Amino acid sequence: MKLVKYRDHLISIEKVIQLLSYAVGSATEKKLHNILENVYRQDDAELCVFIDDGGSAVGIVGFKGKGASAEILHIAVADNRRNSGIGRNMIDELLRLKNFTELTAETDHDAVEFYRRYGFEIQSLGEKYPGIERFHCRLLHSERSENQNEVATWTV
């Protein structure tokens, strides 16, 4: 399995939109296309796709990075592949390939346990939207890679 930049690999936009829809509340076709066009065209934001050994896109992780820190904007796994470690593997690969020492994310009640199980520190942000509690998740990762060639494998 490997993590690749969305625009560097031959993955259908329909598949990316489908995966992104799992990570976006009240997802509409227009909203999802706007995210791809406006968020992931910025210089500091990247959308990556997790490809399984058979060449299928099974997950996505979108993030905005600055230096050694990054904020996870979107993370999702294909519904038929959930609870198989793909989400954990995507974060592992993101940390390994990009050498981030800090990851943060904001999430809702449905996904907070995923981050807690991975080892993120969790802090409630309270009811940020009517009836919806949000959480700030933070992971400090101190094992920076000594091998600078790993970064070169990022573009496939």
Side-chain angles (χ1 to χ4, degrees), residues 68 95 99-103 139-146:
L95 290 168
N99 268 347
F100 292 130
T101 57
E102 178 184 36
L103 288 178
L139 178 73
L140 294 177
H141 182 73
S142 60
E143 298 178 15
R144 289 183 62 91
S145 171
E146 298 296 322

Side-chain angles (χ1 to χ4, degrees), residues 23 37 72 76 80 84 86 88 97 99 123 127 135 139 148:
E37 292 302 314
I72 296 172
N80 65 336
S84 64
I86 290 172
R88 174 175 286 278
L97 293 169
N99 268 347
Q123 178 183 356
E127 195 173 295
F135 299 89
L139 178 73
Q148 295 303 313

Side-chain angles (χ1 to χ4, degrees), residues 22-35:
Y22 301 139
V24 175
S26 304
T28 64
E29 190 86 14
K30 183 178 180 180
K31 184 176 183 179
L32 296 169
H33 280 282
N34 282 338
I35 290 170

Side-chain angles (χ1 to χ4, degrees), residues 15-47:
K15 183 63 176 181
V16 171
I17 291 287
Q18 178 188 24
L19 290 167
L20 186 59
S21 74
Y22 301 139
V24 175
S26 304
T28 64
E29 190 86 14
K30 183 178 180 180
K31 184 176 183 179
L32 296 169
H33 280 282
N34 282 338
I35 290 170
L36 285 179
E37 292 302 314
N38 298 319
V39 174
Y40 292 111
R41 291 224 183 235
Q42 297 176 19
D43 289 341
D44 62 345
E46 293 183 39
L47 180 64

Side-chain angles (χ1 to χ4, degrees), residues 6 8 20 25 38 47 60 71 102 120 123 133 136 145 152:
Y6 161 56
D8 290 351
L20 186 59
N38 298 319
L47 180 64
I60 59 157
E71 176 186 8
E102 178 184 36
F120 282 72
Q123 178 183 356
E133 183 179 13
H136 176 73
S145 171

Side-chain angles (χ1 to χ4, degrees), residues 63-131:
F63 61 94
K64 186 178 261 191
K66 184 174 183 181
S69 296
E71 176 186 8
I72 296 172
L73 302 174
H74 301 100
I75 187 167
V77 174
D79 53 0
N80 65 336
R81 300 292 297 268
R82 292 187 184 147
N83 299 312
S84 64
I86 290 172
R88 174 175 286 278
N89 288 337
M90 286 193 296
I91 290 178
D92 289 346
E93 282 296 288
L94 188 59
L95 290 168
R96 185 182 73 81
L97 293 169
K98 300 300 271 184
N99 268 347
F100 292 130
T101 57
E102 178 184 36
L103 288 178
T104 61
E106 183 179 310
T107 194
D108 58 17
H109 193 275
D110 292 339
V112 73
E113 285 307 313
F114 164 76
Y115 290 104
R116 189 182 318 276
R117 283 190 308 270
Y118 191 93
F120 282 72
E121 297 171 5
I122 308 298
Q123 178 183 356
S124 174
L125 298 173
E127 195 173 295
K128 199 168 176 183
Y129 308 106

